[in-house]
Amino acid sequence: MTAPGAPVLRLGALGFDRGAHLLVRRALDGLRPGEELAVAGGDPALAVHLRAWCRTNGHGMREAGPGEPDGVRARIVRGRADLDRRTGAVRAGGPGPGGVVAHPPPAWGLAARGALVEAGGPPGPFDLTDRDHVWADVAPALYARAAASQWDPARAVDWDAPFVLPDEVERAVVQVMTYLVENEQVALVVPARLLARVHPHFREVLQLLAVQAADEARHMEVFTRRALLRGGEMGTSSAGGRESLHTLLTEPDFSLAAFLLSVLGEGSFLSLLEFLEHHAPDPVTCRVTALARRDEARHVAFGVAHLHHRSTVDPALRGRLRAAVERRHDALQDTAGLNQDVFDSLVVLAAGEWTPEAIARGHDAVAGLRAAMDEGRQRRLVHLGFPADEAAELSALHTRNFM
C-alpha cells in the first residue's frame, strides 16, 4: 500500500519513451531522501521503464501490490545519488566580467563561467590560468566592438572600381601587399597560439583573440586579392623580413608576446596603414588599408590595456619588457632589415610620379613614416610607465622591418 500522505504522480498515457522521466524527476525534487512517490499511469511498459530509470538514478522502486488505490502502478523511494553528485560542486565564478576569479583551477576545464561544476572531470590543458597574466578590463567592451565591426571582403570593397596604373606603380602596390600579407600571417599565428593556452574562464580574452585572428585572416585575403587584382604575381619575400617575423613566434610569455606584436609591431603598422591609405594610387588599395587599420587599432588597444593592467600588479614587468626588446634586437642585428623592394615601393607610392622632385618627396614621406612610427611607439611606451628617455631608447631598438 502507498504510504499515507505520499504524493501521487499521474502520468496518464505518457510513457518513458516520450519524456515521462521529466515529470518523475520534477516530482522527486520536492522530496527528501527516503520519502515515497506513488506513480500512476496507463503505459503498459511503465513499470519496466521506471525500474530501469530508478536504478540508473539511484532511487528505489517497488511495483504496486494488490489494493493500490487510484491506479498506482509503482512506488519510488527517493534516493540521494543526485544530491551526492553535487557534493563538492562549486560555482565557477559568475557569468559576467565581474565574476572572473583570479586563479580558476584546472579542474574547471571547459566549464562555463558561472556554472555549478561537479567534482571530478579531466583538468584542462591550459597553462595561462592567472587572471593578471591575460586580462584587461576593457576586453569585454573591445570584444563587443570587434564583433559589431566585422566586415565582408566581398561586400566592403568595390573590387570592380575602375582605375588604371602605370606598370611600375602597380608593381609597387603588389610588393607592398606581399609584405603586408607576410606580416598579417604572423599576426594571425601569434594570437591563435596564445588563445589555445588561455583558461576558458577568461572567455572575453578568448573571444577577443579569436576575433583578432579572424581579422588577420581577412586582411590576408584582401591584401592578396589586391596584389593579384591586375593579374600579376606576388612580390619578393626577404630572408631578413621572415627572420624578423619569426622572432615573434618564439616568445612564449603572453604579456611579452602581446608587447612585441601588438604594442610595438601592430602599433607601428597603424602608421604604415595610414600612410598607405593616404598615398594609395587607386581606390581598392585605399579601401583595404583603411579597413585593416580600423581592426588593427583594436588589437593595439587590447595589448596596451593588458600590459597597463599587468604592470599595475607586477612592477617588475617593465624590466622584462625592456629585456624582450633588447633580446629581439640582438637576434636581428645582423639582418638586413626592411626589404629594399618594400622600401622602394613605398617611396614610389608616396612620390606619385617619376620625376626627381617627386621621388625626393616620396623619400621624405617614407622618412616621415619612420618618424611617425617612432613617435607612436614612444607614446605607447610612456603610457606603460617607461620614462621618456627610456621609451625613446627602446623605440630605437625596434626592428627595422616595422612589425
Side-chain angles (χ1 to χ4, degrees), residues 151 176-177 179-181 183-184 187 215-216 219-220 222-223 265-280 284-300 346 349 369 372-373 402-403:
W151 46 274
V176 171
M177 291 295 130
Y179 168 75
L180 292 179
V181 170
N183 285 269
E184 298 292 20
D215 288 341
E216 307 299 6
H219 300 170
M220 290 159 54
V222 296
F223 293 151
E266 290 180 308
S268 298
F269 255 58
L270 288 178
S271 299
L272 174 61
L273 292 169
E274 183 178 17
F275 175 94
L276 292 172
E277 181 185 359
H278 177 71
H279 294 289
V284 176
T285 299
C286 180
R287 180 61 172 164
V288 296
T289 52
L291 289 168
R293 184 163 64 90
R294 296 175 199 172
D295 294 338
E296 298 293 350
R298 293 193 305 271
H299 307 170
V300 175
L346 293 174
L349 293 182
L369 168 62
M373 289 178 170
F402 297 168
M403 177 66 83

Side-chain angles (χ1 to χ4, degrees), residues 36-294:
E36 287 190 356
L37 173 69
V39 180
D43 179 52
L46 177 62
V48 174
H49 291 164
L50 184 60
R51 182 178 297 280
W53 184 86
C54 287
R55 183 168 59 249
T56 300
N57 290 274
H59 304 295
M61 190 206 110
R62 296 191 296 275
E63 292 191 38
E68 287 285 1
D70 302 322
V72 169
R73 300 276 301 280
R75 289 175 287 162
I76 301 174
V77 180
R78 204 242 193 270
R80 60 172 305 112
D82 59 331
L83 302 176
D84 292 340
R85 174 170 163 248
R86 296 190 176 185
T87 300
V90 296
R91 286 283 170 195
V100 173
V101 304
H103 302 282
W108 285 2
L110 295 171
R113 196 169 70 217
L116 183 63
V117 184
E118 294 179 2
F126 313 107
D127 64 296
L128 294 174
T129 59
D130 187 312
R131 178 182 185 272
D132 291 330
H133 288 179
V134 300
W135 189 254
D137 289 336
V138 75
L142 277 179
Y143 169 68
R145 189 188 312 168
S149 301
Q150 296 300 289
W151 46 274
D152 178 2
R155 301 177 65 180
V157 180
D158 182 3
W159 298 102
D160 296 322
F163 67 87
V164 177
L165 297 180
D167 290 344
E168 299 94 331
V169 176
E170 177 64 20
R171 284 198 295 270
V173 172
V174 169
Q175 180 58 64
V176 171
M177 291 295 130
T178 302
Y179 168 75
L180 292 179
V181 170
E182 290 187 348
N183 285 269
E184 298 292 20
Q185 286 174 168
V186 76
L188 184 155
V189 172
V190 170
R193 292 174 65 174
L194 294 174
L195 188 157
R197 297 171 53 201
V198 176
H199 196 300
H201 183 76
F202 310 117
R203 70 164 185 266
E204 292 85 355
V205 175
L206 290 185
Q207 291 168 320
L208 198 54
L209 292 174
V211 173
Q212 184 171 334
D215 288 341
E216 307 299 6
R218 193 168 54 242
H219 300 170
M220 290 159 54
E221 175 186 347
V222 296
F223 293 151
T224 300
R225 189 166 176 178
R226 172 58 190 93
L228 303 178
L229 190 61
R230 289 295 184 257
E233 295 181 325
M234 300 294 283
T236 61
S237 172
S238 69
R242 295 197 306 278
E243 187 170 353
S244 176
L245 295 177
H246 180 74
T247 59
L248 295 172
L249 300 177
T250 59
E251 178 52 67
D253 183 90
F254 184 95
S255 297
L256 299 188
F259 176 62
L260 295 175
L261 175 66
S262 297
V263 177
L264 297 181
E266 290 180 308
S268 298
F269 255 58
L270 288 178
S271 299
L272 174 61
L273 292 169
E274 183 178 17
F275 175 94
L276 292 172
E277 181 185 359
H278 177 71
H279 294 289
D282 63 86
V284 176
T285 299
C286 180
R287 180 61 172 164
V288 296
T289 52
L291 289 168
R293 184 163 64 90
R294 296 175 199 172

Side-chain angles (χ1 to χ4, degrees), residues 256 259 263-264 307-308 311 315-325 377-395:
L256 299 188
F259 176 62
V263 177
L264 297 181
L307 290 164
H308 186 269
S311 65
L317 175 65
R318 280 188 287 274
R320 295 198 299 276
L321 297 179
R322 179 185 180 93
V325 173
R377 288 193 297 268
Q378 291 189 50
R379 186 177 63 252
R380 285 183 285 274
L381 288 167
V382 169
H383 178 74
L384 294 178
F386 287 96
D389 58 343
E390 188 174 2
E393 179 186 352
L394 290 178
S395 179

